[in-house]
Structures are given as structure tokens and as C-alpha cells.
Amino acid sequence: MAFKPTTVIKSTAAAIFTIIAMAAFASASTGLAQSPEPDRYLNQCLGKISSRCAMYATAEMYHHGPLKQNGCCLEIYHMGQICLNIVTRHVIEALVPKLEATQKQVLIEKATQIWYLCVPV
């Protein structure tokens, strides 16, 4: 039997992701690092996207928000798919570890969908 996330679970995950993502952006901008090497890559990636566009990207994950209309796809393009994956996985694995594996996979798939939404193939 496959797990089907309910609207409540999706909304909760979206709220958690948004709050934690903003905390990650704030800690990266203040230079708080736990281990130098992985955080160096994370901080570089976080520096490539504004907090405004990070919020629109999160909204796009759950509500099909106005990501394209606000010029944030250009930031995501310049950020690159690898950085998008690094930030998404960091938020999921390090900052929201209590999510079930299925919920984590949904968030990773949503980040991939955002990449293909923003970058014409």
C-alpha cells in the first residue's frame, strides 16, 4: 500500500520547509557554520539565491506560486541544479530529520520539478 500524503501533511511539510529554509538562509548569511567543507558549498549555494526567491520557490513546491512571474527562475538558473539539490537536501536531511522517507522524496521531486519549470530543456 503506497503512502499518499494528505493535504494536512503537505501543508505541514510546506510550513516546516519554509521556516527552516529561512533559518538556513539567515544562518548562512551570518556565517554560522558547523563543519567548514560541506557548509562552504551550502553557503556558496545559498548566496546565489535571494530570500525572496527562496520563498517563491517554496511556494511553488506546494501551491504553484508565482515563481516565473517574479523573475526568480533566473536566480534558480544561475544557482544551478546542483546547488538547488544541495540546499533542498540540506533542509530536508539536516534541518527537518523527522519527516518520513516518503515526505522527503516528495520534496526532492518538487525541487526537480522547479528546476525543469525554470530551465527550458
Side-chain angles (χ1 to χ4, degrees):
M1 184 167 132
F3 176 79
K4 293 188 180 207
T6 65
T7 303
V8 173
I9 291 172
K10 286 182 181 180
S11 298
T12 302
I16 290 171
F17 187 84
T18 301
I19 291 166
I20 300 302
M22 292 312 296
F25 289 121
S27 70
S29 66
T30 58
L32 300 175
Q34 295 173 359
S35 59
E37 195 61 24
D39 282 342
R40 182 172 64 94
Y41 294 119
L42 178 63
N43 289 340
Q44 287 174 352
C45 291
L46 289 171
K48 295 179 181 182
I49 188 168
S50 67
S51 58
R52 179 183 69 84
C53 286
M55 292 298 292
Y56 283 124
T58 302
E60 183 69 39
M61 285 181 151
Y62 294 95
H63 306 293
H64 302 290
L67 186 67
K68 282 184 154 183
Q69 294 85 347
N70 287 298
C72 292
C73 276
L74 186 59
E75 283 189 34
I76 290 183
Y77 173 77
H78 287 291
M79 179 184 197
Q81 188 173 17
I82 292 172
C83 275
L84 180 61
N85 291 339
I86 287 171
V87 171
T88 302
R89 288 183 186 276
H90 172 73
V91 169
I92 291 169
E93 296 298 330
L95 302 174
V96 196
K98 293 184 180 182
L99 285 178
E100 293 181 17
T102 306
Q103 293 169 317
K104 291 177 183 180
Q105 187 59 40
V106 167
L107 291 175
I108 291 168
E109 289 170 4
K110 294 279 187 173
T112 301
Q113 290 171 1
I114 286 174
W115 175 256
Y116 287 112
L117 171 74
C118 286
V119 180
V121 279

